[in-house]
Amino acid sequence: MATQNRSFNPSGPLYLTAADWRNPHHRRSAAASLVQGVYSQEHDRQQNRQGHQALAPPWWDFFTFRLFRVLVDNDDRSIFGAIYEFKSPPPYGHHNPLHIPPRYVVAFRGTMIGWETMSQDLTLDLKAIRNTLEQSGRFQHAMQAVQYTVSIAGATNMCLAGHSLGSAMALLAGKNMAKMGCFLETYLFNPPFISVPIEVMTKTEILKSGIRTIRSVTTAGVTIGLNALRQRPQTGDWFAALSGWIPYLFVNPSDPISAEYAGYFEHREWMAGKGFGAIERLSTRNSISGAIEPLHLLPSAYLTINGSPVQGLGQAHGLDQWWKPNIQCRSKLYQLIGN
């Protein structure tokens, strides 16, 4: 969620004289800035700022991108996404794709507070909670944009990025492409975890571990029972297909919307270390709510946690924390290999 109408100067990552795409902090700042460019485009549209008055262009110009296409919601006519194209084609070939800029970036904004967008955005937030976001017209438009970009650039020459509701859309799009064997570099800022936020409910590690263990065992038990009664389809095939896709997740432990990703992956690793990996794998594949594929379900991810002090939900869930210099981040790869 973003409420501020930000201009790039002085809000943007001006500490970067030039983006070094070999540096993961620079890539994170660039991806977050391109998502902010979508927020700013919608602010410009609402306030009828055009030409030199528009505040959005510096968010992509600074990183040598151009605006290739604007994505507009057919229901409320708001700008919810954008496709950016790198201005100077880099030397694609046998280079490491993480050392060069992506040729295209598809970015999605999150929920905006304002009468022009609030109704539709909150409707989509509710769909995300109900695991029905994929059925919305906005997501279908987003998915078409992703597929089109892959068709003209190739999977290795583009990436996805999103914040909050936009990260849910990028996550779903990335999942769909991964199931087709197309793994896209993906940056998910404060993605919603549709579950009880245990991570922010208590600071007692033993209690958090106990709650998650009970949830895992219960979910696994219910799944075994339902599968035995043939009331629930097996999900192993698509789960295995997702295992090779490793999106970048960025969460703040004080953000109740996304913080549970930290506990989700840490607990899964703890269960495996205690010899309960089979139970946790079965629990991870399923949801006790009955949804075949919960939004937050991810076999693998490169998780980055921002441990810098924050004041309130606005800062904890804000996009701007991810382009600030010297934030106290810790990152770890969580990868589920095999069945």
Side-chain angles (χ1 to χ4, degrees), residues 7-304:
S7 60
F8 185 81
N9 188 1
S11 298
L14 297 177
Y15 67 94
L16 298 179
T17 55
D20 180 359
W21 291 90
R22 296 168 296 183
N23 187 320
H25 301 293
H26 290 198
R27 294 180 75 90
R28 181 195 70 227
S29 295
S33 296
L34 292 174
V35 174
Q36 179 60 40
V38 182
Y39 280 112
S40 294
Q41 286 181 72
E42 175 55 20
H43 279 301
D44 284 345
R45 184 193 73 85
Q46 292 178 13
Q47 299 181 27
N48 197 29
R49 288 193 297 255
Q50 302 178 17
H52 296 298
Q53 293 182 329
L55 299 180
W59 288 100
W60 56 83
D61 285 341
F62 183 81
F63 296 98
T64 324
F65 282 89
R66 66 167 59 92
L67 183 61
F68 180 77
R69 178 176 294 181
V70 176
L71 305 179
V72 177
D73 189 299
N74 290 329
D75 292 321
D76 66 359
R77 309 309 302 170
S78 69
I79 296 173
F80 72 90
I83 303 175
Y84 301 103
E85 181 184 28
F86 197 70
K87 290 181 180 179
S88 301
Y92 291 99
H94 299 291
H95 298 79
N96 186 333
L98 291 179
H99 291 174
I100 55 178
R103 185 176 174 187
Y104 292 93
V105 177
V106 183
F108 307 108
R109 68 165 175 84
T111 304
M112 294 179 64
I113 301 299
W115 67 268
E116 298 94 340
T117 58
M118 181 178 292
S119 177
Q120 176 69 349
D121 286 356
L122 292 181
T123 297
L124 293 171
D125 287 333
L126 185 59
K127 286 183 178 293
I129 293 172
R130 293 177 173 175
N131 285 306
T132 60
L133 182 61
E134 197 163 5
Q135 302 170 14
S136 68
R138 180 182 293 187
F139 176 75
Q140 292 169 10
H141 188 179
M143 193 68 222
Q144 291 170 0
V146 172
Q147 292 173 324
Y148 168 75
T149 308
V150 171
S151 71
I152 63 174
T156 60
N157 295 333
M158 65 161 291
C159 72
L160 300 176
H163 173 244
S164 193
L165 173 61
S167 68
M169 297 180 64
L171 174 55
L172 275 176
K175 277 187 174 184
N176 287 346
M177 298 304 296
K179 291 173 187 177
M180 295 185 286
C182 183
F183 298 155
L184 302 180
E185 181 182 344
T186 305
Y187 295 82
L188 306 172
F189 300 101
N190 301 90
F193 191 100
I194 312 303
S195 180
V196 177
I198 301 171
E199 192 66 20
V200 296
M201 287 175 58
T202 176
K203 299 301 181 182
T204 305
E205 294 300 325
I206 295 177
L207 180 58
K208 287 192 288 189
S209 179
I211 295 173
R212 292 187 178 111
T213 300
I214 293 172
R215 183 174 62 185
S216 297
V217 172
T218 303
T219 303
V222 170
T223 300
I224 292 171
L226 291 179
N227 286 341
L229 294 173
R230 301 179 181 273
Q231 294 179 357
R232 184 180 191 137
Q234 296 291 336
T235 62
D237 290 343
W238 60 258
F239 192 84
L242 288 176
S243 297
W245 179 53
I246 308 177
Y248 295 86
L249 267 64
F250 301 91
V251 305
N252 190 302
S254 298
D255 174 22
I257 296 174
S258 65
E260 189 57 23
Y261 276 103
Y264 166 84
F265 284 108
E266 290 170 0
H267 178 70
R268 199 179 72 188
E269 185 176 69
W270 181 86
M271 289 284 282
K274 295 295 183 180
F276 303 130
I279 292 176
E280 186 61 21
R281 284 193 296 272
L282 185 59
S283 174
T284 300
R285 284 173 167 84
N286 297 276
S287 166
I288 201 167
S289 67
I292 294 176
E293 185 181 345
L295 173 66
H296 60 261
L297 189 148
L298 279 173
S300 306
Y302 196 88
L303 178 67
T304 296

